[in-house]
Amino acid sequence: MFRAQTRENAAVNLQLPDFAPLRVSVVGDIIADHYLVTQPRSLSREAPVMVLRYKSEDFQAGGAANVARNVRALGAATRLHGCVGRDVRGRELIELLEGFRIDTMGVETIPEWTTPTKTRIVAAEPRRSLQQVLRVDREPARPAAAEIRAKIRERVVSLAQSIDVLLVSDYDYGMVDAELGRLAAELAARGVIVVLDPRSHITGFEGVTAMTPNVGELARFTGRELDDLADLKDIAQAAGELLVRCPMRWLLVTRGNKGMALFGEGCPERGIAVDASGSGDVTDVTGAGDTAAAVFALALAAKLDAPTAMQVANAASGVVVMEHGASVCAPEQLRDALLATPAPVRIA
């Protein structure tokens, strides 16, 4: 079914399925992405630092909110579950998401709690590509209270009979825990496609449909250093260990500008891999993992086999890394990208 690993991967012609009939719940850590766009001006006389002139600013959905935005951009009905603070960023996020026609009825607003916010300062000379020079994070002092997390889980359960996909987005702000994992595994046992994009928590998620860690996360989950997973053979060995520790149908490992690798049901023993999609230089990797998880889950729910779902997710990720900030892939962009997406190869 798969060729041996080679540097010359033939493009394949894939048809984009219709995602509109799918009903999706996204649960996890909701984040505000704030961008300050600047232009270098001079060196400061006060300290050995650069002075940046303010040009503009932008506000985007991050974390689980960006996953929901990716799902909605491809046409599926989307409800977001999680929490924000009763603050300016929380209000802005809700307004932004509702503008994308994302159902926010599952989002709890918490008084005296800080909406996680990542402020990225980006700078460039005129007609040059923007570069991130600094990131400032605003974070809640503690996770949302246990009773609030329980309430959010109850809302997810209440929709269990009416959803095709549950996407869990872990950004380590406390929404994703073992209790949510057990709920996710129960839904997977009922036939719901359940995909976890993990950051720190996999306990309790045994039995979900799939996980989509990046290479660094795979290294952490298997007690390795990132440098230990530079080779596909090493990634395959680590993936095998993780599948034993946390059984699931598929493990999709995202590898940045090196593409993706897939392990599990129906794959060769050492898995399959695909080179990164896209024809240009990477502009910004922010949110690419969100896109990969969202599109892989949608493709599985649309009855594509897992290797093909990986190709579709790879093509979508190749689109969003060409844009600044956490971007999404529209259907027409994905159709074009699929015309040149690489074919998967067997890991030798």
Side-chain angles (χ1 to χ4, degrees):
M1 181 179 178
F2 304 104
R3 295 179 289 109
Q5 185 182 354
T6 174
R7 289 183 179 274
E8 298 297 328
N9 289 346
V12 292
N13 191 4
L14 298 175
Q15 296 298 316
L16 182 66
D18 182 11
F19 298 129
L22 299 177
R23 300 154 299 175
V24 181
S25 282
V26 179
V27 59
D29 299 305
I30 298 173
I31 298 172
D33 280 347
H34 178 219
Y35 290 84
L36 290 176
V37 181
T38 68
Q39 182 177 323
R41 181 178 179 183
S42 63
L43 288 176
S44 174
R45 292 181 295 177
E46 303 167 356
V49 296
M50 184 176 292
V51 176
L52 302 172
R53 175 180 294 162
Y54 172 89
K55 301 293 291 183
S56 64
E57 58 189 293
D58 189 23
F59 180 75
Q60 298 179 12
N66 187 48
V67 175
R69 187 183 168 212
N70 272 271
V71 171
R72 187 71 193 106
L74 289 173
T78 311
R79 173 173 282 195
L80 179 61
H81 300 265
C83 52
V84 297
R86 189 171 291 170
D87 52 19
V88 172
R89 293 303 179 206
R91 291 192 296 272
E92 289 176 333
L93 261 178
I94 295 299
E95 292 175 5
L96 183 68
L97 293 166
E98 290 177 346
F100 294 135
R101 294 186 298 163
I102 293 170
D103 185 342
T104 61
M105 292 298 292
V107 179
E108 283 288 311
T109 300
I110 307 174
E112 300 180 358
W113 196 76
T114 301
T115 302
T117 303
K118 298 178 180 180
T119 298
R120 296 175 175 90
I121 300 174
V122 295
E125 296 283 359
R127 297 184 296 279
R128 296 285 184 89
S129 296
L130 289 167
Q131 300 291 329
Q132 185 177 159
V133 297
L134 183 67
R135 194 180 92 184
V136 180
D137 289 358
R138 298 178 180 88
E139 301 177 326
R142 61 189 62 83
E147 57 268 25
I148 292 176
R149 300 199 305 273
K151 184 176 182 180
I152 292 169
R153 291 195 301 273
E154 289 170 4
R155 287 180 174 173
V156 174
V157 170
S158 70
L159 296 175
Q161 301 300 321
S162 61
I163 62 173
D164 304 292
V165 176
L166 175 66
L167 272 156
V168 182
S169 177
D170 177 18
Y171 273 80
D172 205 21
Y173 285 106
M175 187 64 239
V176 178
D177 53 19
E179 287 81 5
L180 180 60
R182 285 187 280 273
L183 166 61
E186 289 174 8
L187 294 184
R190 298 184 200 175
V192 176
I193 297 295
V194 179
V195 174
L196 167 66
D197 189 14
R199 176 66 59 89
S200 300
H201 304 283
I202 61 173
T203 300
F205 285 88
E206 298 85 353
V208 297
T209 310
M211 292 186 191
T212 60
N214 61 34
V215 177
E217 290 156 352
L218 176 63
R220 185 163 60 250
F221 295 142
T222 57
R224 289 169 165 82
E225 297 295 327
L226 179 58
D227 290 344
D228 296 334
L229 298 183
D231 186 89
L232 272 171
K233 293 180 181 179
D234 297 324
I235 291 175
Q237 183 175 349
E241 293 176 13
L242 185 56
L243 284 167
V244 170
R245 174 185 168 192
C246 187
M248 68 197 87
R249 293 179 68 184
W250 295 290
L251 178 65
L252 178 69
V253 181
T254 58
R255 306 177 61 224
N257 63 2
K258 295 182 180 179
M260 300 179 178
L262 180 69
F263 308 90
E265 185 178 297
C267 295
E269 182 179 358
R270 288 189 175 179
I272 60 174
V274 64
D275 288 339
S277 182
S279 57
D281 293 332
V282 171
T283 298
D284 191 344
V285 299
T286 303
D290 299 335
T291 300
V295 178
F296 185 65
L298 286 176
L300 291 176
K303 308 303 182 185
L304 296 183
D305 60 71
T308 304
M310 174 178 66
Q311 288 178 266
V312 178
N314 188 51
S317 298
V319 170
V320 301
V321 297
M322 300 300 154
E323 305 290 338
H324 284 288
S327 186
V328 298
C329 183
E332 57 273 14
Q333 292 175 300
L334 184 50
R335 289 190 188 95
D336 290 342
L338 285 173
L339 295 176
T341 189
V345 295
R346 183 192 300 265
I347 299 174

